[in-house]
Amino acid sequence: MIAELVPLVPLLAAVVLGFVPDRVIGGWMTIAASTAAFALACALPWQMGAGTLLLVDPLSAHMAILTSFVGMTTAWFSLRYIEIEMITGRLDALRARQYHVLLMAFLGFMLLALLSNNLGLTWGAIEAATIAAVLVVGLPRTDLAIEASWKMFVLCGVGIALALFGTIVLYLAAQPSLGPGLPAMSWSALAVAAPGFKAPLLNLAFVFLLIGYGTKAALAPLHAWMPDAHAEGPTPVAAVLSGSILNVALAVLLRVRGLMASNPDAISPGPPMMALGLLSLLLAAFALWRRYDVKRFFAFSSVEQSGLAAFAFGIGGPAAMFAGMLHVTLHTLIKAAIFQCVGRASQLKGGQKFADIGGLIASHRALGLTLAAGIVAVAGMPPFGLFSSEFLIMLATIRSWPWLALPVGVGLVVGGWALFNRLISLCLGEPTPNRGPGPALIDLVPAWLHLALVVVLGMAMPAGMVAWFTTLAGGLR
Amino acid sequence: MGHLAYDAAHLFGGLVLALSFVLLYQRRLTAVINAYALQALVLAIAAAWEAWAQGAPHLFLTAAITLGAKAIAIPLGMHNFVRRLGMDRTLESALGVFPSMAIGVGLVALSILVVLPVTAQSHTLTREDLALALSVVLMGMLMMITRRTALTQVIGFMSMENGLILAAVSVEGMPLVVELTVAVLVLLAFAVFGVFFFRIRDRFASLSLDHLDRVGEGPR
């Protein structure tokens, strides 16, 4: 019952919010709904089981908790952010209302996709989440925002179409073993019966699902929608987009990977995932050097980290899966914190180009220091957790594919170097003039919460969390 | 399934694919819309035929949705839009007619080569229809690449979805086909809605997606 409520609460909130004209009440309702969704998601680990519609296993429970947590802090963050956007005239009252509706719909459909036990439902939920995301990116209604959302729609639409074809083929592969009807479309039944599937059909389905959902995971070469969507959409959405939709797609890919790995005759799913992941990592690491827009810059950094996670999942085995899951979790938390800071910084400085934002520590000490901490964290430096997960991924690489440690290392160093370069220009040096209101300290609390979690998870992970991640990694094949 | 049922299902699948080729070379926007409407009509007949042949009444619903929305409502709306905005002009294609046709033939060959060997143990009709459906999907992608305007890209996208529905109805016993049809329809409606209401034409003057390059990078 609780599992049903997790996606249902935000979706119902989206419907109700459509009728709430008052922005402040709407904002608080968004906070309430996403907090409720997070609280319910936290109960999922005690609700394990597979139903007709929903599947609660460690993977879906973990991802649902993470997604709803980011959804909750983003809702907190949005309250003041939207207020300032309305004062400066970038959003009007109607758009602000649409924003809350779409944010909740996006969150609800992502949670549904994560918890779904049905190939078709997963697909439909991801499609609906994409539509909500496209709409919310185009919300500022500037030419550039509309172009970005159109580009996102075209690319993601093609990805979604390919994923549907893969879904149909996967059903076709499952049908002889499971018989016609719903069981042949349920993730839990597929996982049990996958060793008996016809390998050629399974291979064909894998290729389509990898490309299709890989588009949503922003894996190169189909990552092009991601930087535009981040740069032009409202900043809080960038925080959710960067973490959550990538995670949803990666979670689906992980399930497909599990099916492939358990079938002895199917092609090994690892190398294709590693290849796409490594390509994304390298491409994004070098692309980071030629960015002039702050949000676009961090979007490329998300492509890089998503690529690294896909690479780790490609290696496979408990150690790499542990590292990959930890990496996904920490990156989501860090990136959401960074985008929250970037959103405040661009409101403070009245622009989102690197040329507009400089010397943040001098002009707003707390904001500058928080952003600096976030950048250090995403560059994979201690004491932040990404250091541990990247270290573990490197270890796993050296153990199973020693030669690949070189390109992975190069990608990480080149990317990290670019991040430090920008850290200096953004946070240190002479401050650029302020053109808008700065954040109050309370506005930065969500970002601090995220970064504190990242430090704890990276450096002093409680035994219970270690056990949880070990169970999680052990359940994945 | 008897001979007639089998042959007819093939005929309709083949016709859908043939209309994908027609979509590739049409030179006028209204002609492209008509070709699309015809493809959706044939798809609706194919779905209805499968419903009868497989004894799966829910597929009639898919057929009805396809007929009502894709073969009638969306094309009518598009015609209206084109007439109002005076956009009925000759279209450019990034490739000429012959190269696009040649690539199309190559794509069909590719999908046959990909699908037939891997489905060796499946139902004969399913495997051949799947090959046809994959061809339609790939041709839709080709159209999205070669046709540069937003409206023709949307039509390419919709034609791609026709291929997906063809695949879904020809897989015997596939559950949730109707639900998937509706979900796909939402996506299509959204695409059409995007062109109409985001006023892509108003903003970009020519409905051409070349302008999208402006969202590129560079110190502006």
Side-chain angles (χ1 to χ4, degrees):
Chain A
M1 188 57 210
I2 287 179
E4 279 86 355
L5 282 177
V6 174
L8 207 58
V9 167
L11 288 177
L12 281 178
V15 175
V16 175
L17 279 167
F19 300 98
V20 177
D22 188 275
R23 173 185 50 79
V24 179
I25 298 176
W28 282 106
M29 279 180 64
T30 313
I31 292 176
S34 51
T35 309
F38 173 62
L40 288 165
C42 285
L44 285 178
W46 289 272
Q47 302 279 326
M48 298 288 177
T52 327
L53 271 186
L54 299 188
L55 167 67
V56 185
D57 63 356
L59 176 65
S60 61
H62 180 80
M63 288 297 199
I65 293 172
L66 184 64
T67 304
S68 56
F69 179 73
V70 175
M72 178 178 74
T73 53
T74 306
W76 288 353
F77 169 79
S78 299
L79 193 66
R80 272 270 290 164
Y81 181 87
I82 295 296
E83 197 179 305
I84 295 176
E85 291 291 282
M86 285 179 69
I87 293 170
T88 52
R90 278 188 287 264
L91 288 177
D92 58 19
L94 181 65
R95 301 267 157 76
R97 195 199 317 183
Q98 289 171 349
Y99 168 82
H100 287 127
V101 171
L102 291 172
L103 183 66
M104 282 298 101
F106 183 50
L107 182 64
F109 281 121
M110 278 194 305
L111 290 170
L112 184 61
L114 284 171
L115 291 168
S116 138
N117 190 20
N118 182 290
L119 298 172
L121 184 64
T122 303
W123 181 83
I126 290 183
E127 182 218 326
T130 306
I131 292 183
V134 167
L135 283 173
V136 83
V137 165
L139 212 52
R141 290 293 188 278
T142 57
D143 287 1
L144 289 178
I146 289 178
E147 288 173 27
S149 71
W150 184 252
K151 189 168 174 180
M152 180 179 175
F153 176 76
V154 169
L155 269 177
C156 290
V158 171
I160 287 173
L162 293 179
L164 179 56
F165 194 81
T167 303
I168 295 171
V169 177
L170 186 54
Y171 167 78
L172 200 60
Q175 199 197 26
S177 315
L178 292 165
L182 278 178
M185 287 189 90
S186 111
W187 288 113
S188 53
L190 286 177
V192 176
F197 292 171
K198 295 280 174 293
L201 270 174
L202 203 55
N203 292 343
L204 186 65
F206 174 67
V207 172
F208 279 95
L209 291 169
L210 179 64
I211 304 281
Y213 288 126
T215 310
K216 297 258 45 164
L219 295 180
L222 290 164
H223 64 286
W225 59 272
M226 180 88 172
D228 290 344
H230 279 68
E232 305 307 334
T235 313
V237 177
V240 190
L241 266 184
S242 215
S244 312
I245 194 82
L246 305 187
N247 295 353
V248 173
L250 283 175
V252 176
L253 286 179
L254 270 175
R255 290 204 190 280
V256 178
R257 187 205 138 83
L259 300 182
M260 297 294 292
S262 62
N263 189 306
D265 302 324
I267 51 168
S268 163
M273 286 179 81
M274 286 166 68
L276 285 188
L278 192 58
L279 182 66
S280 318
L281 171 70
L282 287 172
L283 199 124
F286 284 97
L288 280 177
W289 283 92
R290 290 188 48 79
R291 300 300 117 189
Y292 304 93
D293 181 303
V294 182
K295 281 153 96 183
R296 191 180 289 271
F297 176 81
F298 286 113
F300 268 102
S301 156
S302 294
V303 173
E304 183 194 359
Q305 305 299 339
S306 176
L308 186 59
F311 180 81
F313 293 142
I315 296 174
M321 287 297 182
F322 183 99
M325 285 314 296
L326 185 62
H327 190 79
V328 164
T329 310
L330 296 174
H331 170 247
T332 306
L333 294 172
I334 298 174
K335 208 37 91 53
I338 287 186
F339 274 112
Q340 292 180 356
C341 293
V342 168
R344 299 294 186 208
S346 58
Q347 283 183 335
L348 175 69
K349 299 293 188 182
Q352 56 181 47
K353 298 270 178 270
F354 280 110
D356 299 325
I357 304 178
L360 264 184
I361 292 186
S363 48
H364 194 297
R365 182 171 294 273
L367 178 63
L369 286 174
T370 315
L371 181 59
I375 298 177
V376 170
V378 84
M381 290 291 138
F384 294 101
L386 225 51
F387 174 74
S388 328
S389 65
E390 286 180 0
F391 182 72
L392 289 173
I393 293 175
M394 280 308 266
L395 270 187
T397 314
I398 291 168
R399 202 171 302 135
S400 27
W401 305 76
W403 284 101
L404 287 181
L406 186 67
V408 173
V410 168
L412 287 178
V413 170
V414 170
W417 190 1
L419 283 162
F420 271 102
N421 221 4
R422 286 308 186 183
L423 167 70
I424 294 169
S425 85
L426 279 175
C427 300
L428 306 173
E430 279 298 298
T432 50
N434 293 350
R435 298 202 198 92
L441 282 186
I442 188 140
D443 296 336
L444 293 172
V445 169
W448 293 341
L449 184 61
H450 280 228
L451 290 176
L453 270 175
V454 170
V455 173
V456 171
L457 281 180
M459 290 295 118
M461 200 193 263
M465 286 305 284
V466 178
W468 172 251
F469 272 101
T470 312
T471 321
L472 189 58
L476 300 169
R477 294 204 44 169
Chain B
M1 200 180 286
H3 262 298
L4 175 67
Y6 177 85
D7 289 342
H10 256 179
L11 174 69
F12 296 130
L15 267 179
V16 172
L17 177 58
L19 283 162
S20 276
F21 277 99
V22 174
L23 277 172
L24 268 188
Y25 71 76
Q26 288 303 329
R27 288 224 172 254
R28 297 184 76 82
L29 198 48
T30 42
V32 174
I33 298 173
N34 287 338
Y36 170 74
L38 198 58
Q39 188 182 42
L41 176 69
V42 176
L43 178 68
I45 298 173
W49 184 263
E50 292 281 356
W52 179 77
Q54 294 178 18
H58 62 275
L59 290 184
F60 280 117
L61 209 55
T62 297
I65 294 171
T66 307
L67 179 72
K70 292 197 205 166
I72 298 174
I74 290 180
L76 278 182
M78 282 187 153
H79 273 306
N80 186 18
F81 182 57
V82 167
R83 204 168 36 241
R84 259 207 329 239
L85 297 179
M87 289 186 340
D88 189 22
R89 54 192 163 79
T90 313
L91 294 168
E92 283 155 41
S93 174
L95 295 169
V97 169
F98 179 74
S100 0
M101 294 302 245
I103 295 176
V105 171
L107 289 179
V108 175
L110 177 76
S111 30
I112 289 173
L113 286 178
V114 166
V115 172
L116 290 194
V118 305
T119 48
Q121 275 124 353
S122 303
H123 202 287
T124 331
L125 179 61
T126 302
R127 58 193 293 229
E128 283 160 19
D129 263 3
L130 204 64
L132 289 175
L134 182 58
S135 313
V136 174
V137 170
L138 293 179
M139 301 269 287
M141 279 173 86
L142 177 64
M143 184 171 168
M144 289 181 78
I145 295 166
T146 60
R147 294 296 179 92
R148 286 282 178 75
T149 67
L151 204 56
T152 40
Q153 280 206 329
V154 167
I155 295 177
F157 184 66
M158 295 199 296
S159 152
M160 196 169 154
E161 305 286 352
N162 279 348
L164 293 174
I165 301 295
L166 183 65
V169 295
S170 54
V171 175
E172 218 170 324
M174 170 119 177
L176 298 179
V177 175
V178 180
E179 288 82 350
L180 289 176
T181 316
V182 173
V184 164
L185 186 65
V186 170
L187 201 64
L188 297 190
F190 182 76
V192 178
F193 163 90
V195 178
F196 279 58
F197 289 92
F198 282 171
R199 298 180 188 283
I200 287 185
R201 178 179 191 272
D202 289 6
R203 290 177 186 274
F204 308 158
S206 69
L207 257 183
S208 166
L209 289 184
D210 290 344
H211 300 269
L212 283 192
D213 295 342
R214 265 198 297 148
V215 196
E217 186 59 41
R220 271 173 266 157

